[in-house]
Amino acid sequence: MDNRQAIGSWLSGPRAAAEEMGVDFGYRGKRLGLPEEGPGSVAPLGRRFGAILIDWALCMLIAYGLFARGDQQAAGNWALGIFLVLSVLTVGTIGCTPGKRILGIRVVAEGGGRLGLGRVVVRSVLLCLAVPALVWDRDGRGLHDRLARAVQVRI
């Protein structure tokens, strides 16, 4: 084996090496029975990050204006609580937060339809912990979505 080929496979990672051996991973959402593109397909990562930034900015604005009384540290703490309440209420009722709605994303159960309140609460609490949201599966779902058996799809 040529050294350049070995270095190339090391840099490209295990997925590229598996694909070279003929493993077909398919597209994101294929295992969940979702379409590859368009409405109902797995929402792209960029849109999901954008949605959470919009939601966090909204929560910071509410916290700073209504609860923190000018204290930046207190605003961050209040914003986390507001974010939890916002997520539970909006995802539990209409299936999306304001940021998700603006960017055309909805949270649905794996089999389709709305999430139950218990799964929404689990998902929201894990999202507030941040770490589960940073661990993804090959369908692009965060650990918080996997544990709640949810998926974020395009509207």
Side-chain angles (χ1 to χ4, degrees):
M1 176 185 241
D2 184 11
N3 283 339
R4 291 177 295 191
Q5 185 179 6
I7 290 173
S9 68
W10 177 76
L11 289 174
S12 58
R15 181 180 177 128
E19 287 174 343
E20 284 181 17
M21 292 188 295
V23 175
D24 179 25
F25 288 105
Y27 59 88
R28 291 182 323 140
K30 182 176 183 179
R31 295 182 311 152
L32 301 170
L34 301 174
E36 186 171 1
E37 294 180 7
S41 64
V42 174
L45 192 58
R47 278 192 195 183
R48 292 181 358 219
F49 274 132
I52 204 163
L53 287 175
I54 291 169
D55 292 335
W56 184 253
L58 177 64
C59 292
M60 283 294 289
L61 185 65
I62 292 168
Y64 192 75
L66 297 179
F67 299 106
R69 311 231 189 272
D71 183 2
Q72 297 259 339
Q73 179 66 34
N77 294 336
W78 277 106
L80 188 59
I82 293 168
F83 183 82
L84 176 65
V85 170
L86 175 82
S87 181
V88 169
L89 291 178
T90 58
V91 173
T93 56
I94 61 172
C96 56
T97 62
K100 289 183 189 326
R101 181 68 184 130
I102 289 169
L103 295 180
I105 301 171
R106 185 169 176 187
V107 180
V108 296
E110 282 180 349
R114 290 183 32 204
L115 287 178
L117 183 61
R119 292 187 350 190
V120 170
V121 170
V122 167
R123 181 186 181 279
S124 299
V125 168
L126 290 171
L127 183 58
C128 287
L129 294 175
V131 173
L134 299 174
V135 178
W136 302 307
D137 65 5
R138 73 179 194 205
D139 289 316
R141 293 187 308 161
L143 187 58
H144 64 296
D145 281 331
R146 279 196 70 144
L147 291 175
R149 295 187 326 268
V151 62
Q152 296 182 55
V153 297
R154 293 178 183 174
I155 297 176

